[in-house]
DNA sequence: GCATGTGAATAGATTCACAGCG
DNA sequence: CGCTGTGAATCTATTCACATGC
């Protein structure tokens, strides 16, 4: 009942876990296993079984009681829900160390993401070939987005340029942005924004390292203790 | 006060925002501003004012009613809480494209994080200098961690090596790990683990791009579902 | 019998709204 | 007054526990 009238609202936390299940399921399928229990999938994903079942129930009832989930079917349903059945051209803005690494990242292609363009504001970088693509000027951004139907923008610039680049991306029609710059960026409603910030991650780790997690207190960041696959 | 009897438990969500406040406050201090309101800090951090006040209240009562917070003081208190008053030597394992970029990332030094060593399993990479450091073999990991007092390990290897490297890091005494490899890694209790996963971030964006921000019947509800955080 | 699917219970985070105090 | 600090209300997420149905 995941379609038509009964349209379920999938919780944000669940959406964030679907890609993890997806990856685990693909590996499972590759190993030739046809069926998987919530228990097993949970172990592979590093969560507990109740969460897996609840998460999957938002997609519909794709399991079989007493048996488990059919791996291939589940992969398909999750991919469909995540929108991975279509192609998502990506533009990377800022071709410094990080942009370089991202451009060469294998795994883009793997699930329908394709680096369609590399853009940098620095004229000395233009025309350079990175990962088989020519670096283009920031002024070409709007055209590139329109012509290559770019739907996701990745910001890998210094912090000082991040907001400006985000504005340009939005103006060009991009509705999903992944920000690697260490800066708060704001976007209008209707545009999705996620951020990856190394400095923040390290500081969070620093906090938990400074605050002994021993018995009485918290389950810090993600102190998983579990078998793996 | 974070000491003495009243030991406050700082929520995980708050911990994750403290570095953002910290950054915003440092920029504010640099601009010569001495006092800041929760409203202003909230704007800089991309959250709302109530959240800022609640978050800061967990650290203690450092504001002045009718006035705001003294910027320098707040920077100091947050740094202390995050454990940024001390030095955190970091080891990066896996010197491929990403490890390379991370090694060259400026901003490590900025807040007490210092790349103390680079390690890679590939013998052809050994002895190479990256960001001024010599790449060392995986077999040197335990010694390096012990001798240079490494407290944080960054995994930038392929997925297939991630769990093994995590095990080695833990065995060597590292209690904080940041995993960039696209794999679920598990660590024993007492070890903090955070992950940064490009493929997952892209898939989450794909979901929201595929699921239009459904307009509800009632226009009073702001259907914002962004990602920050 | 056994693992899913899901209401109900619990825990956690956010927001509201206003008392309290400089 | 104005802005902080915080209980109370709300919203979101997780976990429990068991009825359900292959």
């Amino acid at each position: 009942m995941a379609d038509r009238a009964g349209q379920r609202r999938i919780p944000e936390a669940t959406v964030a876990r679907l890609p993890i299940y997806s990856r685990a399921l693909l590996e499972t399928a590759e190993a030739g296993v046809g069926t998987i229990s919530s228990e097993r999938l949970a172990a592979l994903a590093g969560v507990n079984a109740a969460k897996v079942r609840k998460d999957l129930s938002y997609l519909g009832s794709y399991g079989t009681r007493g048996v488990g989930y059919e791996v291939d079917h589940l992969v398909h349903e999750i991919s469909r829900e995540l929108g991975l059945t279509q192609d998502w051209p990506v533009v990377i803005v800022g071709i410094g160390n990080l942009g370089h690494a991202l451009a060469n990242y294998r795994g883009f292609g793997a699930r329908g993401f394709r680096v369609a363009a590399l853009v940098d504001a620095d004229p000395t970088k233009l025309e350079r070939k990175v990962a088989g693509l020519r670096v283009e000027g920031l002024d070409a951004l709007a055209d590139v987005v329109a012509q290559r139907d770019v739907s996701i923008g990745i910001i890998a610039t210094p912090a000082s340029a991040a907001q400006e680049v985000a504005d340009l991306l939005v103006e060009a029609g991009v509705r999903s942005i992944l920000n690697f710059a260490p800066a708060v960026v704001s976007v209008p409603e209707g545009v999705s924004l996620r951020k990856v910030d190394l400095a923040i991650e390290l500081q969070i780790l620093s906090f938990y390292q400074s605050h002994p997690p021993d018995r009485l207190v918290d389950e810090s960041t993600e102190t998983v203790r579990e078998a793996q696959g």
Side-chain angles (χ1 to χ4, degrees), chain A:
Chain A
M1 267 198 278
D3 35 26
R4 303 298 292 139
Q7 199 70 298
R8 288 159 211 266
R9 229 292 256 133
I10 301 188
E12 201 170 324
T14 295
V15 172
R17 281 187 295 267
L18 291 180
I20 304 173
Y21 300 150
S22 177
R23 181 183 289 156
L25 289 166
L26 286 172
E27 286 165 8
T28 302
E30 212 154 308
V33 178
T35 302
I36 193 169
S37 67
S38 62
E39 193 87 40
R40 177 98 186 97
L41 179 50
L44 293 173
V47 301
N48 68 45
K51 206 180 273 182
V52 167
R53 291 201 300 277
K54 183 69 96 178
D55 284 342
L56 296 183
S57 78
Y58 291 116
L59 309 191
S61 302
Y62 296 131
T64 306
R65 289 160 202 252
V67 179
Y69 302 87
E70 211 244 297
V71 177
D72 289 340
H73 185 221
L74 203 46
V75 164
H76 180 258
E77 291 302 336
I78 292 177
S79 293
R80 194 166 58 87
E81 197 63 52
L82 286 174
L84 302 180
T85 49
Q86 53 193 292
D87 196 58
W88 298 112
V90 169
V91 59
I92 299 176
V93 184
I95 312 302
N97 277 309
L98 179 61
H100 226 273
L102 293 175
N104 282 298
Y105 178 65
R106 303 149 141 53
F108 265 114
R111 267 145 213 168
F113 302 97
R114 184 171 48 80
V115 182
L118 305 177
V119 168
D120 199 294
D122 180 354
T124 71
K125 292 212 182 84
L126 303 192
E127 306 303 321
R128 279 237 294 267
K129 278 238 175 184
V130 173
L133 283 168
R134 214 179 64 254
V135 178
E136 303 175 72
L138 195 54
D139 51 358
L141 184 60
D143 281 352
V144 157
V145 167
Q147 283 162 26
R148 296 173 215 175
D149 212 15
V150 167
S151 46
I152 298 179
I154 296 183
I155 301 177
T157 65
S160 56
Q163 183 63 60
E164 187 198 332
V165 168
D167 292 344
L168 288 172
L169 285 168
V170 170
E171 201 184 345
V174 169
R175 283 191 29 246
S176 296
I177 295 177
L178 182 49
N179 177 34
F180 281 87
V184 172
V185 157
S186 51
V187 294
E189 223 179 305
V191 176
S192 299
L193 173 70
R194 293 190 63 85
K195 68 166 193 294
V196 169
D197 193 317
L198 174 64
I200 285 177
E201 296 301 327
L202 290 174
Q203 290 176 52
I204 295 171
L205 287 174
S206 166
F207 174 90
Y208 289 110
Q209 179 119 11
S210 312
H211 293 71
D214 39 36
R215 60 170 90 84
L216 189 39
V217 209
D218 61 66
E219 173 85 356
S220 65
T221 297
E222 186 175 320
T223 320
V224 194
R225 34 109 165 96
E226 198 160 272
Q228 25 94 306

